[in-house]
Amino acid sequence: MDANLVAAQLFSGLTSAMTLFLVASGLSLIFGVVNVFNFAHGSFYLLGAYFVYQVVSVTGLPFWPGVLLAAVGAGIAGVVMEYVFLRRIYGRGGEAGFQILLTYSFILIIDDVVKMIWGTDYKSIERPESLSASFTLGDISVPRYDLVVILVGILVAAGMWWIIRKTRFGRNLRAISANREMASCLGVNVPLTLSLVFGLATALGGLSGALSAPTRTVTPGAGIEVIIGSLIVVVIGGLGNFWGAFVGALIIGEVTAFGILFLPQWALLFSYAVMALVLVFRPEGLLTRKGGA
């Protein structure tokens, strides 16, 4: 087999893995700290894609400030959703059922809002001119934009690790995750922290959507496709496990990339097959200790 083709698929898989990781890590963070399974998380990916389209293609702002504004916009939308709606169902009897209904309803609401504002036509934006060419190493050629996306994903993973493990905010997150009432008694502002977690997690989803906009078509409904992929990732890595989301995204990214190379008609099946194997042999996820959260 051509080594250049294998290398190209490897980098393609890494690029997909990093965008998937950004969404899945936010989903996993919300579940691990807030104990909410946010079915609408893919909709913030969608918002990020449309926000960057708006500020770059319509307003004319440069690409990277547009990406930053798109992530911030998605984060603000997430905070509003948590503060105005989700906060009202915390601690209710049957909270899990309310979570499913409420977050699912937001998939439909955000999708319709996107259609009302931007219409149903496909949208697209150009890659930054400086990243439109490819990086060549010997006979291997990789799009520069893909390399930047991979780098951003790795930097975000390292930054999130630092925030969670080395900062006071991270200690508060871990305390709330372990025991919300005890954390409150120790002086942690739990409501504010939960809102910030939601904002941070949905900003990651928006960042993924903004970074993906130049390589994929921006269209309503994209959030549903993304949330399915993210669910597979968090199941493989372990629900609520940050590094599990990273490993799960790498596995699914590469499995899909090489599935397209060898058996393109069955490429989607491989992701589900991996998830099924994990559920059968290690249902708690690859990076979650047995008996752990």
Side-chain angles (χ1 to χ4, degrees):
M1 177 176 293
D2 187 349
N4 295 335
L5 185 58
V6 173
Q9 288 304 109
L10 179 68
F11 279 103
S12 174
L14 280 175
T15 307
S16 298
M18 289 303 108
T19 56
L20 198 52
F21 161 70
L22 291 174
V23 183
S25 61
L27 183 68
S28 201
L29 183 65
I30 289 175
F31 182 82
V33 178
V34 190
N35 200 28
V36 168
F37 198 92
N38 183 20
F39 276 101
H41 199 68
S43 298
F44 295 94
Y45 167 96
L46 182 69
L47 284 179
Y50 273 98
F51 284 162
V52 78
Y53 164 77
Q54 180 69 33
V55 296
V56 174
S57 293
V58 179
T59 309
L61 213 65
F63 180 75
W64 291 110
V67 169
L68 183 61
L69 286 175
V72 171
I76 292 173
V79 170
V80 171
M81 177 181 166
E82 193 277 337
Y83 182 78
V84 178
F85 298 98
L86 283 168
R87 185 172 292 189
R88 300 178 189 280
I89 65 171
Y90 293 158
R92 278 191 189 178
E95 182 185 340
F98 284 115
Q99 285 181 14
I100 293 171
L101 291 173
L102 188 55
T103 56
Y104 183 77
S105 69
F106 266 93
I107 296 175
L108 307 178
I109 292 169
I110 293 174
D111 230 41
D112 280 350
V113 168
V114 163
K115 289 175 186 174
M116 282 191 290
I117 296 174
W118 289 285
T120 56
D121 294 338
Y122 293 164
K123 311 291 184 188
S124 62
I125 65 174
E126 298 291 330
R127 301 180 186 197
E129 191 174 344
S130 59
L131 301 177
S132 58
S134 295
F135 175 79
T136 303
L137 181 62
D139 293 332
I140 300 172
S141 180
V142 181
R144 289 182 185 174
Y145 186 77
D146 287 5
L147 290 177
V148 171
V149 171
I150 293 169
L151 181 62
V152 169
I154 293 172
L155 289 176
V156 168
M160 288 297 296
W161 174 86
W162 181 78
I163 289 173
I164 293 173
R165 305 306 302 185
K166 301 293 183 182
T167 67
R168 182 174 181 179
F169 178 66
R171 288 195 293 274
N172 290 345
L173 298 189
R174 286 181 278 138
I176 292 173
S177 177
N179 190 316
R180 192 177 297 188
E181 288 74 23
M182 183 62 74
S184 180
C185 292
L186 293 172
V188 177
N189 188 335
V190 175
L192 176 62
T193 306
L194 295 185
S195 293
L196 292 175
V197 167
F198 233 89
L200 179 60
T202 51
L204 290 176
L207 176 62
S208 178
L211 289 173
S212 300
T215 59
R216 297 181 183 180
T217 304
V218 180
T219 176
I224 295 176
E225 179 185 338
V226 169
I227 193 64
I228 292 173
S230 302
L231 287 172
I232 294 173
V233 166
V234 298
V235 166
I236 291 173
L239 204 54
N241 190 308
F242 180 78
W243 288 113
F246 189 81
V247 172
L250 286 177
I251 292 172
I252 292 303
E254 295 300 343
V255 164
T256 303
F258 282 96
I260 291 171
L261 177 62
F262 292 111
L263 291 169
Q265 68 272 34
W266 301 105
L268 288 177
L269 176 66
F270 293 131
S271 299
Y272 294 104
V274 172
M275 181 180 71
L277 288 173
V278 171
L279 286 173
V280 170
F281 294 104
R282 196 172 170 83
E284 67 276 12
L286 295 179
L287 266 66
T288 300
R289 286 175 297 181
K290 289 186 177 181

